[in-house]
Amino acid sequence: MLTCTTALIVNQHVETVGTKYILNASEVPNADAILVLGAYVLPNGTVSTMLNDRLTAGYELYEQKKAPKLIVSGDHGRKDYDEVNSMKSFLKDKGVPNKDIFMDHAGFSTYESMYRARDIFKVKKVIIVTQEYHLMRAVYVARALGMEAYGVATDRRDYRAMELYKLREIAARNKDFLWAKVIKPKPTFLGDEIPVFGDGKATDDK
């Protein structure tokens, strides 16, 4: 009973803190970079509807000059599954120059994406884009790791299994609270610094 109560308290804390920094696109302050978090990509490389909406929102913020660079962070841990190149292709097809798109090939989790944004890409002020259920945690973690983070929610339609995502999010918030505030583990991969103020082509692998 105590464990359940504690989990719900932590969940509410992460939600409350994260929500404070979620703004409309017109209100969000300018930043070093727009960070688009990955989601499922189909076997043919087409982005899922959820990821499509994240990328579209990121592109719109870039067009509004809210930040000069975009970081696409996702899972590229296997040769046969690659979120980030599909995300970069989506943005390039919209007309974003290659130099303005940085790929984080090792964004295997929300925590790792934030940690690597800070330590690899040297981001200090960031706009994070993802769906609201996920965004509260992402913003919370980024701020716990020392970045000035804001979020823009990308909920543009009804998504399948959203109630399941929200239920799973309670456990995810508790895990990331411990990781960001207490344990602070290093991500799976770190590597050389690639400051976001440079050329995104430095992250190309093809």
Side-chain angles (χ1 to χ4, degrees), residues 101-152:
I101 310 168
F102 287 73
M103 289 185 290
D104 176 9
H105 298 269
F108 301 130
S109 68
T110 303
Y111 173 82
E112 290 179 279
S113 292
M114 300 307 143
Y115 197 118
R116 286 174 55 80
R118 184 193 69 182
D119 284 28
I120 298 297
F121 298 103
K122 313 309 290 183
V123 174
K124 294 182 178 178
K125 188 174 182 181
V126 65
I127 301 168
I128 305 165
V129 291
T130 184
Q131 280 73 24
E132 187 176 29
Y133 83 96
H134 181 207
L135 187 57
M136 292 177 274
R137 172 165 57 100
V139 171
Y140 179 88
V141 171
R143 285 190 163 263
L145 292 178
M147 286 184 284
E148 183 181 348
Y150 301 90
V152 174

Side-chain angles (χ1 to χ4, degrees), residues 80-95:
D80 62 346
Y81 186 72
D82 180 357
E83 291 178 0
V84 292
N85 273 289
S86 291
M87 294 166 77
K88 184 162 189 170
S89 293
F90 182 100
L91 292 168
K92 285 173 67 178
D93 288 346
K94 293 276 192 183

Side-chain angles (χ1 to χ4, degrees), residues 1 9 18 20 30 39 78 103 108 116 119 146 149 155-156 166 185:
M1 185 67 180
I9 290 170
K20 283 168 46 178
N30 291 2
R78 311 191 311 264
M103 289 185 290
F108 301 130
R116 286 174 55 80
D119 284 28
D155 301 79
R156 301 189 170 201
K166 289 180 178 179

